[in-house]
Amino acid sequence: MLINYNVVSQVKRRPKAFTKLLRIVLVTGAILNVIMGVAFDRGFMLTSLLFAALYMIYDIQSVTEYEYMLEGGHFRVDRIKGYRYRKAVQFIKVEDIIVIAPPDDKAVAAYKKNGTEKVKKYDYTSYEPGVVYYTMIAKEGDEKIKLLLDLNDQMLETFRRIDSRKVILY
């Protein structure tokens, strides 16, 4: 078993489809209220400031990133909101990991939506098209959990070196 290893990987989640539409509405509302404030009444300027403030807040808070850390016998997932608010969302001992495999592999088939075993699912993927994600099944207390992760080659190789029986690669 590897004694000294430290692998960190960061994944940025792709914004949802309605995010672009909401940004357009907020910017358009701010511009229209500035024009109406100049043309009619200055009271419209206040609502344009409100639209601009909402845009700024939403633009920052809509960014979600995940950081995967594998070090010292522990695997940890942190969620980073708005580039600055970090929260540890998963903390798993490496020996509690049952399997890491692609989602269509037979080793994780029992844990699919209509599979034989019902487990709680946590999705920490980027939703980027073309990015291969992996399913990790692990024990959390007495229950099993399912994590969907965008693991890079270095992290997969480190998992494989720790325990090659738990990692299934194509």
Side-chain angles (χ1 to χ4, degrees), residues 1-18:
M1 182 171 157
L2 274 171
I3 295 171
N4 194 8
Y5 53 88
N6 182 6
V7 183
V8 179
S9 174
Q10 196 160 355
V11 173
K12 185 174 182 179
R13 181 165 268 188
R14 193 175 91 197
K16 296 181 178 166
F18 72 91

Side-chain angles (χ1 to χ4, degrees), residues 112-131:
K112 285 189 176 185
K113 191 172 189 175
N114 296 324
T116 57
E117 293 198 42
K118 301 294 181 206
V119 293
K120 194 166 187 175
K121 180 177 95 172
Y122 299 97
D123 190 351
Y124 304 121
T125 58
S126 65
Y127 289 119
E128 288 294 333
V131 174

